[in-house]
Amino acid sequence: MRGNSNTIRTHRAVTTVAALLAGALALTACSSGDGKKGSGDTSGGATASGSGVTLPKLNGASLEVAAVWTGTEQANFKKVLAEFEKRTGAKVTFVPAQDPIINFLGSKIAGGQPPDVALLPQPGAIKQAVDKKWAKPLGPDAVKELQKNYAQGWQDIGKVDGKQYGVYYKAANKSLIWYNAKVLENAGAKEPKTWQELLTAAQAVYDSGVTPFSVGGADGWTLTDWFENVYLSQAGPEKYDQLAQHKIKWTDPSVKQALTTLAQIWGKKDYVAGGADGALQTEFPNSVTQTFTGGDQPKAAMVYEGDFVQVNIGDTKAKVGTDAKVFPFPAVGSTAPVVSGGDAAVILKDSKAAQALATFLASPDAATIQAKLGGYLSPNKNVPDSAYPNPVQQKIAKALIASGDDFRFDMSDQAPQAFGGTPGKGEWKDLQDFLKNPKDVAGTQAKLEKDAAAAYGNGS
């Protein structure tokens, strides 16, 4: 699972996650009632009980929904689809897709068998689907539900050329570091707020006999997320937007600075579980589970990734909030980063049933079902905080909603897929090579620029 996504050109501010977490209780109290008073809306206030969204009767209709989700995540989403079936009488089949999903959909469409709805984890993929004339615009019911339940920024990133195509059903807060509470306690390390404090905590953990970090380097997307948090905090939001759009080159000094900073962790083999070679053979799920197995002597003390890490912690005996805790990605520059991602439902075969499913996925009713199951975060501001199963998840959800439009979308998901979204190619591969040889900053920058120029098609 990637938990990624988006083209966000309009957001001008970056808010610190730390401040959001501190102020989330008050802010969420203000926003929890938003959007329940849509004029002429007969559905009433959206509630967890299932009375919030009006859906048509669809007896006899059948739908296929494609997504790259596997394991627990897929099983949980199927429960949401089952509720849609119960309410409408439609039959919904989940179609497991391969990553990159746009290639998978291309072969399905070429064979004359596109799914009715697909969950796309990159804004670039939404734009591609529109450009190829695969995607169909959302109808008035789905748009109305979106307007009622979503901040403007989340609506805007589902648009192409001003038309609404995507419903951001799932979000990710990708500015989090999870840690084995017992290990940090034994090391006498505190939750860091700055990059320097993170390095200090890492040294304390190392001195206590545990490797500080677990890195899922076999999956290149985790490395792009590391880079994005460091770059956003250090270079700032305007540079972040410029690099995301390839308006500045990857040979820019700001990229050199971010890679050099990353090398302070990636370049110390004793700081990374298994060293670079081990990390490059560690897939994301294992990077999490090895941090939370082995009692107070796990393979690593900390693992960076988004809120969805909880799904994988659930495969261990560790309990979120006690054994497994979390802190916001520390400030590398003056401000801590807020990097978000998400998956958007896009209609490929227009029908009353497909539009109804998009409307349902835009409602708090659908999101609340999956929120209760854990390992999921919704950008829908009318999902009750109480739907999330533990205080940690509630805190992360509040922070996301409190940020409103003040966030930056995952940079690699804004890039053309050839650069930012393909295993073994582009940015994923270049950062894997950098993890292997963190001294080669200039060489890495040159490779990144060469691959970016080819993918964006705007020269080098």
Side-chain angles (χ1 to χ4, degrees):
M1 126 80 224
R2 294 197 50 220
N4 280 9
S5 305
N6 278 42
T7 319
I8 223 161
R9 308 269 192 254
T10 56
H11 302 332
R12 293 277 167 239
V14 165
T15 316
T16 75
V17 172
L20 289 175
L21 294 180
L25 280 165
L27 285 166
T28 311
C30 297
S31 67
S32 62
D34 286 355
K36 292 189 181 176
K37 302 184 181 80
S39 57
D41 178 23
T42 57
S43 62
T47 66
S49 66
S51 62
V53 61
T54 303
L55 299 170
K57 284 296 171 199
L58 299 166
N59 295 331
S62 61
L63 286 171
E64 286 190 345
V65 180
V68 296
W69 299 331
T70 58
T72 309
E73 195 169 28
Q74 182 188 121
N76 290 353
F77 182 58
K78 282 181 175 176
K79 290 175 184 170
V80 177
L81 298 178
E83 177 64 17
F84 177 78
E85 289 181 321
K86 192 169 115 185
R87 293 199 200 179
T88 62
K91 173 88 178 96
V92 186
T93 304
F94 181 89
V95 178
Q98 283 80 48
D99 211 353
I101 191 170
I102 207 80
N103 296 358
F104 171 84
L105 294 175
S107 60
K108 283 282 193 184
I109 288 162
Q113 293 181 308
D116 298 86
V117 176
L119 276 295
L120 301 183
Q122 290 115 348
I126 298 176
K127 187 169 187 316
Q128 270 183 282
V130 172
D131 290 346
K132 291 174 184 288
K133 302 198 174 358
W134 297 350
K136 313 297 184 220
L138 296 180
D141 290 346
V143 169
K144 186 175 174 184
E145 200 64 27
L146 269 179
Q147 289 170 347
K148 190 168 67 164
N149 299 314
Y150 286 74
Q152 191 62 48
W154 284 103
Q155 295 176 51
D156 289 347
I157 54 179
K159 289 179 181 174
V160 177
D161 298 330
K163 255 189 201 158
Q164 195 78 52
Y165 286 93
V167 170
Y168 271 89
Y169 170 71
K170 183 177 187 300
N173 179 335
K174 303 187 83 175
S175 296
L176 302 168
I177 294 180
W178 298 82
Y179 67 94
N180 186 310
K182 199 72 183 161
V183 173
L184 261 70
E185 187 185 320
N186 290 348
K190 295 191 176 122
E191 290 189 0
K193 290 186 170 58
T194 66
W195 184 260
Q196 193 51 54
E197 288 175 7
L198 179 66
L199 297 178
T200 302
Q203 186 62 45
V205 166
Y206 175 74
D207 291 343
S208 77
V210 178
T211 304
F213 295 98
S214 176
V215 177
D219 293 310
W221 60 268
T222 63
L223 306 183
T224 71
D225 290 349
W226 266 101
F227 172 82
E228 286 156 11
N229 276 277
V230 170
Y231 189 84
L232 176 56
S233 184
Q234 198 169 56
E238 288 181 9
K239 282 265 194 190
Y240 184 95
D241 290 343
Q242 289 167 1
L243 189 61
Q245 296 166 47
H246 202 221
K247 288 183 176 173
I248 56 172
K249 295 181 179 181
W250 284 80
T251 47
D252 191 84
S254 61
V255 176
K256 177 183 179 180
Q257 189 183 17
L259 291 172
T260 304
T261 300
L262 268 179
Q264 292 176 325
I265 289 175
W266 292 5
K268 292 191 77 161
K269 66 174 190 203
D270 292 340
Y271 270 22
V272 176
D277 289 343
L280 287 166
Q281 291 171 46
T282 303
E283 294 178 340
F284 164 67
N286 294 338
S287 74
V288 177
T289 53
Q290 72 180 14
T291 308
F292 298 103
T293 47
D296 61 0
Q297 288 293 310
K299 288 192 176 169
M302 295 177 272
V303 60
Y304 157 71
E305 251 314 333
D307 57 281
F308 45 84
V309 160
Q310 289 174 100
V311 171
N312 307 94
I313 294 173
D315 294 332
T316 73
K317 291 178 182 171
K319 288 196 169 45
V320 171
T322 51
D323 310 308
K325 293 186 178 179
V326 66
F327 56 84
F329 199 97
V332 188
S334 59
T335 313
V338 182
V339 176
S340 188
D343 297 87
V346 174
I347 294 172
L348 302 179
K349 277 170 70 178
D350 203 359
S351 66
K352 186 177 179 182
Q355 290 287 354
L357 180 60
T359 303
F360 182 58
L361 293 178
S363 76
D365 295 20
T368 296
I369 294 166
Q370 196 155 348
K372 286 180 175 176
L373 299 169
Y376 166 84
L377 189 61
S378 172
N380 188 314
K381 64 188 178 186
N382 287 321
V383 173
D385 301 333
S386 58
Y388 293 97
N390 59 64
V392 169
Q393 182 71 1
Q394 288 166 12
K395 192 162 72 166
I396 294 167
K398 284 172 183 174
L400 183 81
I401 297 304
S403 70
D405 295 339
D406 296 340
F407 61 93
R408 279 299 186 281
F409 225 90
D410 183 294
M411 187 189 293
S412 62
D413 283 347
Q414 297 186 45
Q417 193 174 285
F419 180 66
T422 305
K425 292 184 180 174
E427 189 185 359
W428 293 21
K429 175 69 163 64
D430 296 340
L431 288 178
Q432 285 174 321
D433 291 346
F434 179 64
L435 175 61
K436 198 169 194 174
N437 183 16
K439 290 184 177 154
D440 189 18
V441 173
T444 301
Q445 284 186 271
K447 277 196 287 185
L448 284 162
E449 177 53 31
K450 183 182 174 189
D451 290 339
Y456 284 82
N458 55 0
S460 179

